[in-house]
Amino acid sequence: MTEEEFDAFYAAAFPRLTGQLYAFTGDHGEAQDVVQEAFVRAWDRRREFLADGAPEAWIRTVAMRLAVSRWRRARRWLELVRRNPPPEHTPGPGPERTALVEGLRTLPETQRRAVVLHHLCDLSVEQVASETGAPVGTVKARLSRGRAALARWLSADDELGEREDDCVR
């Protein structure tokens, strides 16, 4: 099957197959996804496709198998979630964490990356240098400048918070 023949076949068969798979899955989006995936797989075999004699049946079979496979995966995931439910309430970030993230956003990207990798990811200075492609001395300078800027920002933030507390009293 040539590319032009495949394109014509796709245009004619896609809506029909999507309708059939929609009836099978009960979900129009899922039907479109599995039919599209089946056509992608058929594209790789388009040269020998005509010799098969029933390209639409092949695509329908592949799409149905994909739908069943997805359904099984979803069912297994649901069983897993039922056995190990997520916590009822996951607390959001506290004010300290929020202030830290806001302060990190004020840093230049290179300093922010160095600070996060070193202090939050627990990488050594050498590991940060390796990961960022910067010399060790440059990483040390970025860490020093980043920590100093963060300290200034966080102390200014604390002073602002104290002033707001005084106004509320």
Side-chain angles (χ1 to χ4, degrees), residues 81-99:
V81 168
R82 284 183 180 154
R83 277 183 279 171
N84 304 313
E88 297 246 347
H89 175 71
T90 304
E96 299 85 12
R97 180 101 164 162
T98 303

Side-chain angles (χ1 to χ4, degrees), residues 94-108:
E96 299 85 12
R97 180 101 164 162
T98 303
L100 176 62
V101 170
E102 287 177 27
L104 285 167
R105 287 183 183 155
T106 66
L107 299 178

